[in-house]
Amino acid sequence: MKEYKNKVKNTLVNYKTNFIFNTLAFSSKLWKIIFSTLLLLPFLGTSQTITISNPTINFTQACGSSSFNTFNFSFSFFPVSNLGVNNEFIVELSDATGDFLNPTIIKTLTNNTTPVSSNFNLPPETYGENYRIRVRSTNPARTSNPSNIFPAYY
């Protein structure tokens, strides 16, 4: 009977020792994975961002027609180094009340230097007193604040 008790005791000690060793080994591997991941996070590009300035418009009112329909604007962004591959700057026109719930895309740009100067054409259905434009980027996805309000008619 004593031999049986010693055998059971030795078996339990071996199980405990193996359990503790395996737990510590797994825990050590887990900490290595967590530490490696934390070291790589800054290089994954998930935290890259840019700031886009409010677009500046070079007019106080926009009156477009079939013979004249070109209106200048400019904006800047920084830092240039955070601009992602295949980024596009999309220039949007608000509705006549200055709202961007359903903006109209009036220009798409692929500039990778700042400042950016360009122009846009008013859509033929433009008619109102409180239009604004804004710029959004695609990589990283950011949106500027809107421009000053301007009346626009086509």
Side-chain angles (χ1 to χ4, degrees), residues 59-79:
F59 52 89
T60 56
Q61 56 188 355
C63 296
S65 67
S66 59
S67 60
F68 179 82
N69 193 16
T70 303
F71 302 94
N72 297 324
F73 69 95
S74 61
F75 68 94
S76 59
F77 61 92
F78 65 92

Side-chain angles (χ1 to χ4, degrees), residues 5-141:
K5 283 184 179 181
N6 283 339
K7 192 174 186 179
V8 168
K9 184 178 176 183
N10 287 340
T11 303
L12 288 174
V13 168
N14 284 338
Y15 281 132
K16 282 183 181 178
T17 304
N18 285 338
F19 175 77
I20 290 170
F21 177 78
N22 288 336
T23 302
L24 289 175
F26 174 76
S27 179
S28 175
K29 287 179 185 176
L30 182 61
W31 279 111
K32 285 179 185 176
I33 291 169
I34 291 170
F35 183 73
S36 298
T37 303
L38 290 174
L39 283 176
L40 290 174
L41 275 178
F43 302 103
L44 294 178
T46 57
S47 63
Q48 299 290 354
T49 189
I50 62 170
T51 300
I52 306 170
S53 69
N54 300 17
T56 302
I57 53 175
N58 300 326
F59 52 89
T60 56
Q61 56 188 355
C63 296
S65 67
S66 59
S67 60
F68 179 82
N69 193 16
T70 303
F71 302 94
N72 297 324
F73 69 95
S74 61
F75 68 94
S76 59
F77 61 92
F78 65 92
V80 174
S81 59
N82 286 0
L83 206 59
V85 177
N86 299 322
N87 177 68
E88 292 183 322
F89 287 107
I90 299 168
V91 184
E92 299 175 327
L93 180 68
S94 70
D95 65 16
T97 66
D99 189 83
F100 285 96
L101 284 179
N102 294 304
T104 301
I105 296 173
I106 53 175
K107 189 79 167 197
T108 300
L109 304 163
T110 57
N111 299 57
N112 57 12
T113 58
T114 190
V116 177
S117 294
S118 189
N119 59 58
F120 66 90
N121 301 322
L122 289 176
E125 63 277 359
T126 305
Y127 185 89
E129 293 290 318
N130 295 308
Y131 282 96
R132 300 185 293 178
I133 64 169
R134 70 179 182 185
V135 179
R136 66 180 170 86
S137 61
T138 58
N139 189 13

